[in-house]
Amino acid sequence: MAFRLTPHERGFYPLFTRAAENIVVAADELAKLVAAEPEARVELARRIKDAENAGDDVTHEIMVKLNSVFVTPFDREDIYRLASSLDDVIDAIEEAADRIVLYRLGALPPGMATQVDVLQRAAAATAEAMPKLEKVDQLHEYTIHVNSLEDEGDRAYHQVLSALLSPEQPITDPSAVLEVIKLKEVVDTLEDAADAFETVANTVESIAVKEA
C-alpha cells in the first residue's frame, strides 16, 4: 500500500460490505419473484424495493464520507466507481422486478430464471469479496469468477432473446407481440445488472493494480 490507513479511513470497507450484502438480499428475492405465481409477486417486489432503498442509503453514506475524508484508502475515482456500480446492480434488479409486476406478466421464460441465477452467484461472490478490500491483492480470483459469470449471463441473455424474438411459430396476435416486448425489457434489464457486476469486478481489479 502507498500509505498506512488510519482507523477512520477504514470506514469505507464496512459500507461496501453492507452494499454487497444488500444486493444478495435483492437477488434472492428476485429469484423468488421469478419463480412465484403472479399474485405473489407484488409483495416480493416490495421487499426488493426496500432493499434498493437501503442500498441508496449506503451509497449516500459512501458519497458523504468520500467528500469529508481527506485521505482515502484508494483513489477517489475508484471509490466513486465501485459505489456507483454496486448501486447500478441493485437498481437494475429492482427495475426488473418492478417491470414484471407493472406489466402484469404471466408465465416467464425459463431463460429468465437462468439469468437471475447468475446474478445470485455474482451477488454472493461480491458479498464475500468486499470485506477483503483491505487486502485487494487477494481478490484476483474474484474478478476472474465474476467476469466468467458475466459471460455465462451473456449466453443466457442471448438464448432467451432468441427464444423470444425467433419463436418456432410466427407471432401474429398483437397482444402476444406486446408481451414479447415487455419480456424483452425485463431480460435487457437483467443483462444490465450482470454488466454492472462486471464493472464492480473490473474496478476491484483496477484498485489491485494501483495498490500493488
Side-chain angles (χ1 to χ4, degrees):
M1 299 288 288
F3 47 80
R4 183 178 300 276
L5 301 178
T6 67
H8 181 67
E9 289 154 0
R10 291 192 178 97
F12 285 101
Y13 299 119
L15 291 174
F16 284 126
T17 298
R18 277 173 52 198
E21 290 173 346
N22 196 52
I23 291 172
V24 171
V25 172
D28 288 347
E29 293 297 332
L30 182 62
K32 295 176 187 176
L33 187 151
V34 168
E37 295 298 321
E39 59 272 14
R41 292 172 183 164
V42 173
E43 172 59 22
L44 291 165
R46 184 193 64 76
R47 295 180 194 174
I48 294 169
K49 180 61 179 176
D50 288 345
E52 191 267 339
N53 287 336
D56 284 344
D57 290 342
V58 177
T59 302
H60 177 71
E61 287 185 57
I62 293 171
M63 296 309 174
V64 168
K65 182 173 285 294
L66 186 60
N67 290 323
S68 61
V69 173
F70 180 69
V71 181
T72 56
F74 41 86
D75 282 356
R76 291 176 181 273
E77 178 183 343
D78 288 328
I79 291 175
Y80 179 84
R81 187 179 180 211
L82 184 55
S84 296
S85 54
L86 287 167
D87 190 56
D88 287 344
V89 171
I90 199 164
D91 283 349
I93 289 173
E94 190 276 328
E95 183 179 349
D98 184 59
R99 287 184 175 184
I100 289 170
V101 173
L102 179 65
Y103 294 162
R104 299 180 182 178
L105 295 174
L108 302 175
M112 193 178 291
T114 304
Q115 284 185 285
V116 174
D117 176 68
V118 170
L119 295 181
Q120 283 184 283
R121 285 182 282 148
T126 301
E128 183 179 349
M130 288 300 105
K132 301 175 183 177
L133 277 174
E134 288 190 74
K135 298 180 179 179
V136 74
D137 58 312
Q138 300 179 3
L139 291 175
H140 183 61
E141 291 301 319
Y142 158 72
T143 61
I144 292 174
H145 180 47
V146 172
N147 284 326
S148 175
L149 286 173
E150 200 277 334
D151 289 340
E152 186 178 339
D154 278 346
R155 291 192 294 272
Y157 172 63
H158 292 142
Q159 287 170 2
V160 72
L161 274 188
S162 177
L164 286 174
L165 303 179
S166 302
E168 294 181 2
Q169 298 296 326
I171 300 174
T172 56
D173 182 357
S175 63
V177 172
L178 181 59
E179 187 82 356
V180 167
I181 293 171
K182 293 175 180 178
L183 288 168
K184 182 181 181 299
E185 287 190 16
V186 176
V187 299
D188 285 347
T189 305
L190 295 175
E191 174 67 2
D192 290 342
D195 289 343
F197 269 124
E198 185 177 38
T199 302
V200 172
N202 290 343
T203 302
V204 169
E205 183 72 12
S206 174
I207 294 166
V209 170
K210 293 176 183 178
E211 297 297 311

